Amino acid sequence: MGRFGVQKPQEEAGKAWPAIVIGFFVAFGGVLFGYDTGTISGILAMDYWQTLFSTGYVNTQGHLDVSPSQSSAIVSILSAGTFFGALGSPLLADNIGRRLGLIVSAFVFILGVILQTAATALPLFLAGRFFAGFGVGLISALIPLYQSETAPRWIRGAIVGAYQFAITIGLLLAAIVDYSTQYRQDTGSYRIPIAVQFAWAIILIVGMTVLPETPRFLIKKGQHDKAALSLSKLRRIDPKHAAIEAELLEIRANHEYELSIGKASYLDCFRGPMLKRQLTGMGLQALQQLTGINFIFYYGTQYFKNSGIQDSFTIQVITSCINVVSTLPGLWAVDKLGRRPLLLWGAIGMCVSQFLVAMLGTLTTGQDASGNIIVYNVAAQKAGIAFICIYIFFFASTWGPLAWVVTGEIYPLKTRAKSLSMTTATNWLLNWAIAYSTPYLVNYGDGYANLQSKIFFVWFGACFLCIAFVYFFIYETKGFSLEEVDELYTEVSSARKSPGWQPSSTFAQRQGVDGATDEVVHGGLVGEKPIDGFSHHNENARV
């Protein structure tokens, strides 16, 4: 990786590839997330499914279909399940562990897939969507947690960002399978795309049975010998190696200090210095959803169809391909260029793209008396799709992966599981709100806003807010250990001043823990920092 400017620091002992491989495999759970959220867009547009699940509503084309309110419920109930799943993730993460928690989550997801596959009417289908969502919510909070606690710090951004890459692959696979079954006139049209998800869950379960638990969780549970073995598997060096002992000493010193000040509750995530970090993570995840990406992947097929595009399924496959490919440069750049510049320029690119899509769609289309879309300028519609693709590039290479990267590394061990559960729940809460409200905002008819392409002005406004949010609230954390990130927040009061900051000492050294000598710093891990959210540095230290 040195050729591309991202390489293992010389002072890091052991091998990096085991932790990298493990981190990328765990990211596979994102396929469940992406596929489950992506497949519904195509299913809602399938003729056979519309007829089978219709309760008598007829759409503007004169075809039996589910009503806009039913469509809203079908899409959004998955997000409701994910919201509660994300909030419940600390119960698994902090009790049975990150690894076993992921296995249990996958089984919950499988229950939801079984119910959806068996359904021939809306009630059972909705129940299946909820349980699948609950499983996805658990997984979406646990995967970044597992990755952040096992990944080498110098490539942590790419590893956690790979979770978003897996999500995009899931979206692409969903579009391809939907495209392949769309013309079937039997239950296979929707059952095949849904049942494919069994494979993704089984792969994750089998893999997690052989992977190690995170060293930080084992230290938290007082299992120091197991923590040493886990870390030795990740670094491929002897458990008694000086670098292993140094890293465990630092983690243990942080944990013991946390025990001295008591356990953390959900309220502690909003107290004192933690408030800023908690709101930063929740704001970042909320804005990621408000950029409009899920409008494209939840309702994109139907939207393109309504806008006069003849082969809307093909467009959905193309946008999904762009989503996958565009994530790759972001995975390289996150540990090369940093978090702040990528998020800032990504927000600017998304903002411009959404504005142009809104203008082109609004000025070149109209409606007849029945609410059908009339396209006045086909070339302008094609240009609009091109700018949607440009928007997807900016999102997939910046805000898509980096929202998970940043939220996975800015919280201390004491509150990490709870803080991440709330940031992930915020993501899913906004996801639910957008999924539920979009049909009412976009569709034609009494009681509906009939915004059509004007909805992109809403996404434009949110992207504009993203620019300011990054400038004022996002700290640069590239290349720091999780504990060093904590010291960054205690020493630097403004996100604008974070680029250029460097750590001065380890937490173990400042606390006077036995064995925390200069050899620790040079033995493999330079400077892990306090993780309680409070300052333990010299008040006269220079920033």
Side-chain angles (χ1 to χ4, degrees):
M1 298 182 69
R3 177 181 300 179
F4 300 100
V6 180
Q7 56 186 339
K8 177 175 173 285
Q10 292 182 354
E11 69 271 15
E12 295 280 350
K15 304 291 185 181
W17 68 263
I20 294 173
V21 170
I22 289 172
F24 280 120
F25 173 80
V26 174
F28 180 83
V31 173
L32 278 71
F33 179 164
Y35 189 95
D36 199 40
T37 56
T39 193
I40 195 62
S41 175
I43 289 175
L44 288 173
M46 292 178 181
D47 289 341
Y48 183 86
W49 185 90
Q50 290 175 348
T51 301
L52 180 64
F53 284 83
S54 175
T55 55
Y57 175 81
V58 178
N59 60 28
T60 56
Q61 283 78 39
H63 188 274
L64 282 173
D65 199 352
V66 294
S67 68
S69 61
Q70 291 170 331
S71 173
S72 172
I74 291 167
V75 175
S76 64
I77 197 169
L78 178 113
S79 302
T82 54
F83 173 77
F84 291 109
L87 284 180
S89 62
L91 295 176
L92 295 179
D94 287 337
N95 288 288
I96 66 173
R98 285 60 159 143
R99 184 180 71 90
L100 289 178
L102 280 167
I103 293 174
V104 171
S105 303
F107 278 111
V108 174
F109 176 78
I110 286 175
L111 171 62
V113 174
I114 291 172
L115 295 178
Q116 289 180 83
T117 305
T120 55
L122 283 179
L124 188 59
F125 195 80
L126 287 169
R129 292 277 294 170
F130 178 83
F131 281 107
F134 195 87
V136 169
L138 291 168
I139 289 169
S140 64
L142 291 171
I143 286 178
L145 178 61
Y146 185 97
Q147 290 175 312
S148 294
E149 292 189 348
T150 56
R153 59 180 174 173
W154 58 274
I155 198 173
R156 185 177 63 244
I159 290 176
V160 179
Y163 176 52
Q164 177 65 25
F165 180 62
I167 293 173
T168 66
I169 292 177
L171 288 165
L172 173 60
L173 291 173
I176 292 172
V177 176
D178 282 348
Y179 180 82
S180 302
T181 65
Q182 61 176 309
Y183 297 117
R184 290 181 65 109
Q185 295 303 311
D186 56 24
T187 57
S189 60
Y190 69 91
R191 281 177 168 163
I192 292 174
I194 292 171
V196 165
Q197 297 174 101
F198 284 117
W200 316 143
I202 291 170
I203 290 172
L204 182 64
I205 290 170
V206 172
M208 293 310 300
T209 59
V210 299
L211 294 186
E213 182 55 83
T214 73
R216 285 175 171 86
F217 172 76
L218 294 171
I219 287 290
K220 189 173 184 178
K221 290 298 182 181
Q223 302 174 16
H224 297 166
D225 291 340
K226 289 184 178 180
L229 286 173
S230 173
L231 195 56
S232 71
K233 289 181 181 179
L234 294 170
R235 304 290 185 260
R236 283 298 187 270
I237 51 179
D238 190 87
K240 300 299 184 181
H241 192 281
I244 296 292
E245 293 181 348
E247 184 167 0
L248 291 177
L249 174 68
E250 185 68 6
I251 297 172
R252 189 165 63 249
N254 280 274
H255 177 60
E256 288 173 354
Y257 177 81
E258 289 178 349
L259 291 179
S260 71
I261 58 175
K263 294 183 178 180
S265 66
Y266 276 100
L267 285 178
D268 289 327
C269 298
F270 296 93
R271 287 174 175 158
M274 280 305 303
L275 177 63
K276 181 178 183 179
R277 283 191 250 185
Q278 191 63 51
L279 294 181
T280 296
M282 293 173 70
L284 185 64
Q285 289 285 17
L287 286 171
Q288 187 210 49
Q289 292 300 300
L290 288 171
T291 60
I293 189 67
N294 280 324
F295 170 78
I296 295 170
F297 289 109
Y298 279 156
Y299 296 104
T301 304
Q302 195 66 42
Y303 174 78
F304 293 136
K305 191 175 180 180
N306 291 343
S307 297
I309 304 300
Q310 296 301 314
D311 197 347
S312 56
F313 275 90
T314 300
I315 297 295
Q316 191 75 350
V317 171
I318 292 172
T319 56
S320 295
C321 286
I322 294 170
N323 196 26
V324 172
V325 174
S326 300
T327 305
L328 294 174
L331 297 184
W332 167 79
V334 63
D335 288 309
K336 176 64 176 175
L337 304 180
R339 282 62 161 157
R340 269 178 68 87
L342 281 184
L343 286 171
L344 184 63
W345 287 105
I348 293 171
M350 291 190 298
C351 188
V352 173
S353 300
Q354 295 284 34
F355 179 75
L356 291 173
V357 172
M359 291 295 291
L360 288 168
T362 301
L363 297 176
T364 63
T365 61
Q367 288 177 294
D368 61 21
S370 299
N372 295 308
I373 301 296
I374 302 172
V375 178
Y376 300 125
N377 189 324
V378 175
Q381 283 298 96
K382 291 180 179 179
I385 292 175
F387 280 112
I388 287 176
C389 293
I390 293 172
Y391 157 77
I392 292 173
F393 165 78
F394 279 109
F395 176 87
S397 59
T398 59
W399 278 74
L402 264 69
W404 301 104
V405 171
V406 172
T407 55
E409 64 190 11
I410 64 174
Y411 300 115
L413 178 59
K414 180 179 179 180
T415 67
R416 189 172 297 144
K418 291 182 175 66
S419 292
L420 268 175
S421 75
M422 285 188 286
T423 60
T424 307
T426 302
N427 178 292
W428 287 113
L429 180 63
L430 269 294
N431 188 302
W432 168 82
I434 292 168
Y436 183 80
S437 63
T438 293
Y440 296 99
L441 293 173
V442 174
N443 288 347
Y444 172 86
D446 293 336
Y448 301 107
N450 194 29
L451 291 179
Q452 301 297 335
S453 293
K454 297 182 185 71
I455 190 70
F456 286 95
F457 283 117
V458 176
W459 315 140
F460 156 73
C463 290
F464 190 81
L465 289 177
C466 289
I467 299 172
F469 184 83
V470 173
Y471 183 76
F472 288 108
F473 296 106
I474 299 299
Y475 281 66
E476 183 51 70
T477 54
K478 174 175 69 76
F480 297 141
S481 70
L482 297 180
E483 286 71 31
E484 286 170 342
V485 170
D486 192 68
E487 186 186 3
L488 166 65
Y489 270 89
T490 64
E491 291 193 357
V492 182
S493 60
S494 171
R496 291 170 291 169
K497 298 178 181 178
S498 62
W501 177 87
Q502 290 296 325
S504 56
S505 62
T506 70
F507 179 69
Q509 288 172 325
R510 291 196 303 276
Q511 293 296 308
V513 175
D514 292 340
T517 63
D518 289 339
E519 285 75 13
V520 170
V521 178
H522 298 295
L525 286 181
V526 180
E528 309 254 320
K529 304 302 169 197
I531 52 179
D532 58 316
F534 296 90
S535 176
H536 304 283
H537 66 286
N538 183 350
E539 292 299 329
N540 297 317
R542 297 179 62 186
V543 176

